C-alpha cells in the first residue's frame, strides 16, 4: 500500500507524462524556460556551495485559472526534463493535499510534519525526486488573511509546519524539487511564494494556441474518423477558432467532444461532425462562467 498522503508514485521519464507535455500548447519560450528550470534544480543546484549567495529552495510554482494546463504541465515538464538528462532516473510523487489537511485540531500540523519528515525524506534519501503539490493553497494558506475566529489556529500552524518542513528539506536534499500549482494566487502565503525559485503564470490560450488545441483534439478523433480531418482545412474553421478565444484549454477540448453530442447521428458516426456544430458547442461553453 502507498503511504498516506501519496496519490501517485512512479519513475521518470514516463510515457504518459511525455504525452501530456507534447500535447500542451504554450509559447515555446515558456516551455523552454520551465524545462531549463527543472534541469537547473536537478543538476546545477547540487554544485552550489553557498546557499546564502545562491538561495535555491527547490520549488517551482505554477499559478493561473482553472483548466489552463497547470497539472499537465507540472507532470509533463518533470518527465521531459529527466528525458533530456541521459539515462537519469528520477522518482515522481504526487501529493494528496486533502489527506494532509484535516479539520481536527492540531492534526494538519502533525500530518504535514510527519509527511515531510518521514515520507518525503525517506524517498529523497534514495535519489533525485520531484514532488507535485497540486492545489497547494490547501497546504500554504495565507496566514495574514486568516481570522482567528473563522479559521482555527490549526490552519495557521499547518502553513508554519509546511514552510519549516520545506526549508529543512531544501537544506538537506539538493536534488529534491517541488512543483506546486494553484488557482488561487491570492490565497497563498507570501512566504511560500517568496521561496519559489520560479513563479510562472499560466494564462488562457492565445488565438494561435486555441487553434492548435482545437486541431490537436480534432486530430486525435481523425485517427479513427478520417472525415474529421477535412474540417480543419475548410475556411469556416477560422470562425471556430475565433469562437474558442477566451475559453481555457480544458473547455476547448471538451467543447469538441460536446459538439459530437449535438445530434445522435454524429455520436454514432463522428465522421458527420461539421464546423457549424463545433461553433455551436463552443458558443454553449462560453455561456458558462467559471
Ligand atoms: N495550453 C493548453 N494546451 C493544450 N491543452 C490544454 C491546455 N490547457 C489545458 N489543456 C487541456 O485541458 C485539460 C485540463 O488540464 P489540467 O488539468 O492540466 O489543467 P489545470 O490548470 O491543472 O486545471 P485546474 O486548475 O482545474 O486543476 C487537459 O486535458 C489539458 O490537456
Ligand atoms: Mg490542476
Amino acid at each position: 500500500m502507498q503511504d498516506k498522503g501519496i496519490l501517485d508514485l512512479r519513475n521518470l521519464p514516463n510515457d504518459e507524462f511525455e504525452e501530456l507535455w507534447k500535447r500542451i500548447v504554450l509559447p515555446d519560450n515558456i516551455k523552454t524556460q520551465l524545462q531549463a528550470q527543472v534541469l537547473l534544480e536537478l543538476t546545477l543546484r547540487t554544485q552550489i556551495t553557498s546557499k546564502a549567495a545562491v538561495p535555491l529552495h527547490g520549488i517551482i510554482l505554477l499559478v493561473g485559472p482553472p483548466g489552463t494546463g497547470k497539472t499537465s504541465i507540472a507532470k509533463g515538464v518533470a518527465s521531459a526534463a529527466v528525458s533530456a538528462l541521459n539515462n537519469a532516473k528520477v522518482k515522481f510523487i504526487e501529493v494528496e493535499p486533502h489527506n494532509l489537511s484535516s479539520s481536527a485540531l492540531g492534526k494538519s500540523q502533525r500530518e504535514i510534519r510527519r509527511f515531510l519528515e518521514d515520507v518525503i525524506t525517506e524517498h529523497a534519501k534514495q535519489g533525485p525526486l520531484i514532488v507535485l503539490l497540486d492545489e497547494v493553497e490547501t497546504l500554504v494558506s495565507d496566514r495574514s488573511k486568516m481570522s482567528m475566529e473563522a479559521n482555527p489556529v490549526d490552519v495557521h500552524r499547518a502553513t508554519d509546519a509546511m514552510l519549516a518542513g520545506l526549508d529543512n528539506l531544501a537544506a538537506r536534499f539538493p536534488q529534491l524539487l517541488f512543483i506546486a500549482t494553484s488557482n488561487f494566487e491570492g490565497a497563498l502565503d507570501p512566504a511560500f511564494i517568496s521561496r519559489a525559485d520560479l513563479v510562472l503564470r499560466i494564462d488562457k490560450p492565445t488565438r494561435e494556441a486555441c487553434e492548435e488545441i482545437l486541431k490537436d483534439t480534432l486530430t486525435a478523433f481523425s485517427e479513427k474518423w478520417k472525415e474529421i480531418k477535412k474540417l480543419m482545412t475548410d475556411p469556416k474553421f477560422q470562425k471556430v477558432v475565433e469562437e474558442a478565444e477566451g475559453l481555457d484549454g480544458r473547455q476547448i477540448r471538451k467543447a469538441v467532444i460536446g459538439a459530437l453530442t449535438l445530434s445522435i447521428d454524429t455520436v454514432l458516426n463522428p465522421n458527420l461532425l461539421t464546423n457549424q456544430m463545433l461553433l455551436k458547442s463552443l458558443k454553449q461553453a462560453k455561456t458558462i462562467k467559471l
Side-chain angles (χ1 to χ4, degrees):
M1 207 186 88
Q2 257 169 25
D3 285 306
K4 189 175 172 216
I6 292 186
L7 198 63
D8 184 24
L9 171 67
R10 61 178 87 193
N11 292 317
L12 299 175
N14 172 275
D15 287 348
E16 194 187 316
F17 287 4
E18 297 281 321
E19 170 152 14
L20 289 176
W21 187 240
K22 201 181 81 205
R23 292 195 180 274
I24 279 292
V25 183
L26 282 177
D28 279 347
N29 58 331
I30 299 280
K31 268 194 159 177
T32 305
Q33 187 188 1
L34 201 52
Q35 191 172 351
Q37 184 72 36
V38 175
L39 285 169
L40 179 148
E41 304 280 358
L42 294 175
T43 58
L44 295 191
R45 195 169 149 225
T46 55
Q47 298 168 51
I48 288 164
T49 45
S50 170
K51 295 196 171 75
V54 188
L56 279 167
H57 280 87
I59 300 172
I60 295 174
L61 172 61
L62 307 176
V63 292
T68 48
K70 300 177 297 298
T71 305
S72 313
I73 293 167
K75 292 176 176 175
V77 74
S79 188
V82 175
S83 287
L85 293 170
N86 275 342
N87 299 320
K89 289 266 176 293
V90 177
K91 217 187 260 181
F92 173 90
I93 284 177
E94 179 173 357
V95 173
E96 162 60 284
H98 306 286
N99 225 323
L100 300 176
S101 49
S102 150
S103 55
L105 197 67
K107 193 149 175 268
S108 306
Q109 183 195 6
R110 275 200 307 277
E111 284 292 319
I112 288 171
R113 188 175 304 136
R114 178 201 63 82
F115 184 72
L116 295 179
E117 278 178 13
D118 299 349
V119 183
I120 297 296
T121 301
E122 211 38 59
H123 287 285
K125 269 186 193 161
Q126 292 166 26
L129 172 66
I130 298 179
V131 179
L132 170 60
L133 296 173
D134 217 7
E135 301 174 14
V136 75
E137 63 278 354
T138 47
L139 296 173
V140 286
S141 314
D142 187 347
R143 290 162 297 181
S144 70
K145 290 188 180 152
M146 288 175 197
S147 113
M148 285 300 168
E149 281 150 46
N151 296 282
V153 182
D154 188 45
V155 186
H156 202 291
R157 290 202 186 127
T159 300
D160 295 342
M162 192 69 196
L163 293 174
L166 289 172
D167 283 348
N168 183 285
L169 288 167
R172 291 162 61 208
F173 301 108
Q175 281 193 305
L176 166 61
L177 169 65
F178 289 93
I179 307 182
T181 78
S182 181
N183 291 331
F184 304 99
E185 197 183 346
L188 298 177
D189 198 280
F192 175 73
I193 300 177
S194 158
R195 277 164 172 72
D197 302 328
L198 170 70
V199 182
L200 211 53
R201 187 161 294 106
I202 309 294
D203 285 317
K204 286 187 181 175
T206 59
R207 187 200 156 98
E208 289 71 32
C210 288
E211 178 161 0
E212 262 193 74
I213 298 169
L214 279 168
K215 284 183 171 167
D216 188 62
T217 316
L218 288 166
T219 303
F221 275 110
S222 74
E223 280 162 20
K224 263 223 156 71
W225 297 282
K226 308 277 182 231
E227 293 297 308
I228 288 184
K229 220 174 188 65
K230 293 183 185 150
L231 297 178
M232 294 178 267
T233 50
D234 185 311
K236 282 196 212 92
F237 185 65
Q238 284 313 311
K239 276 250 168 289
V240 174
V241 174
E242 219 171 274
E243 196 59 45
E245 264 190 283
L247 295 173
D248 63 58
R250 181 189 282 137
Q251 285 176 312
I252 295 172
R253 290 197 192 273
K254 283 196 188 285
V256 173
I257 306 165
L260 292 172
T261 65
L262 292 176
S263 97
I264 301 292
D265 289 345
T266 32
V267 150
L268 297 179
N269 178 11
N271 275 323
L272 300 175
L273 185 70
T274 64
N275 274 317
Q276 205 52 40
M277 294 170 110
L278 286 171
L279 208 55
K280 192 166 173 195
S281 181
L282 287 160
K283 275 204 169 92
Q284 211 173 51
K286 274 201 168 156
T287 62
I288 313 290
K289 283 267 166 291
L290 289 182

